[in-house]
mmCIF file of all heavy atoms in Angstrom:
data_model
loop_
_atom_site.group_PDB
_atom_site.id
_atom_site.type_symbol
_atom_site.label_atom_id
_atom_site.label_comp_id
_atom_site.label_asym_id
_atom_site.label_seq_id
_atom_site.Cartn_x
_atom_site.Cartn_y
_atom_site.Cartn_z
ATOM 1 N N ALA A 252 28.293 -1.537 -29.923
ATOM 2 C CA ALA A 252 26.891 -1.311 -30.216
ATOM 3 C C ALA A 252 26.012 -2.343 -29.517
ATOM 4 O O ALA A 252 24.926 -2.019 -29.026
ATOM 5 C CB ALA A 252 26.620 -1.273 -31.706
ATOM 6 N N ALA A 253 26.462 -3.592 -29.481
ATOM 7 C CA ALA A 253 25.623 -4.670 -28.889
ATOM 8 C C ALA A 253 26.520 -5.577 -28.067
ATOM 9 O O ALA A 253 26.816 -6.712 -28.484
ATOM 10 C CB ALA A 253 24.870 -5.453 -29.948
ATOM 11 N N PRO A 254 26.969 -5.148 -26.886
ATOM 12 C CA PRO A 254 27.855 -6.022 -26.066
ATOM 13 C C PRO A 254 27.053 -7.159 -25.454
ATOM 14 O O PRO A 254 25.874 -7.019 -25.161
ATOM 15 C CB PRO A 254 28.380 -5.035 -25.022
ATOM 16 C CG PRO A 254 27.326 -4.022 -24.891
ATOM 17 C CD PRO A 254 26.732 -3.876 -26.286
ATOM 18 N N ASP A 255 27.745 -8.281 -25.199
ATOM 19 C CA ASP A 255 27.090 -9.391 -24.542
ATOM 20 C C ASP A 255 27.080 -9.129 -23.035
ATOM 21 O O ASP A 255 27.615 -8.116 -22.523
ATOM 22 C CB ASP A 255 27.772 -10.711 -24.863
ATOM 23 C CG ASP A 255 29.253 -10.708 -24.528
ATOM 24 O OD1 ASP A 255 29.651 -9.871 -23.679
ATOM 25 O OD2 ASP A 255 30.020 -11.506 -25.123
ATOM 26 N N ALA A 256 26.472 -10.033 -22.254
ATOM 27 C CA ALA A 256 26.297 -9.835 -20.815
ATOM 28 C C ALA A 256 27.642 -9.721 -20.114
ATOM 29 O O ALA A 256 27.819 -8.866 -19.223
ATOM 30 C CB ALA A 256 25.477 -10.981 -20.232
ATOM 31 N N ASP A 257 28.618 -10.567 -20.519
ATOM 32 C CA ASP A 257 29.933 -10.501 -19.858
ATOM 33 C C ASP A 257 30.626 -9.182 -20.158
ATOM 34 O O ASP A 257 31.243 -8.578 -19.275
ATOM 35 C CB ASP A 257 30.810 -11.679 -20.297
ATOM 36 C CG ASP A 257 30.248 -13.018 -19.802
ATOM 37 O OD1 ASP A 257 29.512 -13.008 -18.795
ATOM 38 O OD2 ASP A 257 30.521 -14.052 -20.461
ATOM 39 N N ALA A 258 30.530 -8.730 -21.416
ATOM 40 C CA ALA A 258 31.130 -7.443 -21.783
ATOM 41 C C ALA A 258 30.505 -6.267 -21.012
ATOM 42 O O ALA A 258 31.186 -5.316 -20.618
ATOM 43 C CB ALA A 258 31.051 -7.239 -23.293
ATOM 44 N N VAL A 259 29.184 -6.342 -20.847
ATOM 45 C CA VAL A 259 28.466 -5.301 -20.101
ATOM 46 C C VAL A 259 29.026 -5.239 -18.677
ATOM 47 O O VAL A 259 29.335 -4.140 -18.158
ATOM 48 C CB VAL A 259 26.979 -5.575 -20.089
ATOM 49 C CG1 VAL A 259 26.275 -4.634 -19.077
ATOM 50 C CG2 VAL A 259 26.374 -5.375 -21.475
ATOM 51 N N GLN A 260 29.164 -6.395 -18.051
ATOM 52 C CA GLN A 260 29.670 -6.417 -16.670
ATOM 53 C C GLN A 260 31.084 -5.843 -16.581
ATOM 54 O O GLN A 260 31.411 -5.060 -15.708
ATOM 55 C CB GLN A 260 29.643 -7.834 -16.101
ATOM 56 C CG GLN A 260 28.282 -8.458 -16.050
ATOM 57 C CD GLN A 260 27.398 -7.739 -15.052
ATOM 58 O OE1 GLN A 260 27.781 -7.528 -13.916
ATOM 59 N NE2 GLN A 260 26.179 -7.381 -15.471
ATOM 60 N N ALA A 261 31.947 -6.227 -17.537
ATOM 61 C CA ALA A 261 33.330 -5.786 -17.536
ATOM 62 C C ALA A 261 33.423 -4.268 -17.752
ATOM 63 O O ALA A 261 34.165 -3.561 -17.061
ATOM 64 C CB ALA A 261 34.116 -6.531 -18.632
ATOM 65 N N LEU A 262 32.650 -3.761 -18.698
ATOM 66 C CA LEU A 262 32.699 -2.306 -18.979
ATOM 67 C C LEU A 262 32.152 -1.500 -17.788
ATOM 68 O O LEU A 262 32.641 -0.418 -17.485
ATOM 69 C CB LEU A 262 31.871 -1.998 -20.235
ATOM 70 C CG LEU A 262 32.539 -2.448 -21.573
ATOM 71 C CD1 LEU A 262 31.570 -2.305 -22.753
ATOM 72 C CD2 LEU A 262 33.797 -1.666 -21.826
ATOM 73 N N LEU A 263 31.113 -2.005 -17.126
ATOM 74 C CA LEU A 263 30.547 -1.301 -15.990
ATOM 75 C C LEU A 263 31.582 -1.239 -14.858
ATOM 76 O O LEU A 263 31.693 -0.229 -14.159
ATOM 77 C CB LEU A 263 29.246 -1.957 -15.512
ATOM 78 C CG LEU A 263 28.029 -1.810 -16.419
ATOM 79 C CD1 LEU A 263 26.830 -2.554 -15.874
ATOM 80 C CD2 LEU A 263 27.700 -0.331 -16.609
ATOM 81 N N ARG A 264 32.300 -2.356 -14.654
ATOM 82 C CA ARG A 264 33.335 -2.325 -13.587
ATOM 83 C C ARG A 264 34.448 -1.364 -13.968
ATOM 84 O O ARG A 264 35.024 -0.705 -13.091
ATOM 85 C CB ARG A 264 33.875 -3.749 -13.388
ATOM 86 C CG ARG A 264 32.867 -4.705 -12.736
ATOM 87 C CD ARG A 264 33.498 -6.027 -12.335
ATOM 88 N NE ARG A 264 32.575 -6.876 -11.670
ATOM 89 C CZ ARG A 264 31.777 -7.748 -12.298
ATOM 90 N NH1 ARG A 264 31.848 -7.906 -13.593
ATOM 91 N NH2 ARG A 264 30.940 -8.503 -11.611
#
Side-chain angles (χ1 to χ4, degrees):
D255 57 22
D257 294 336
V259 169
Q260 299 294 311
L262 288 171
L263 290 178
R264 290 189 178 90

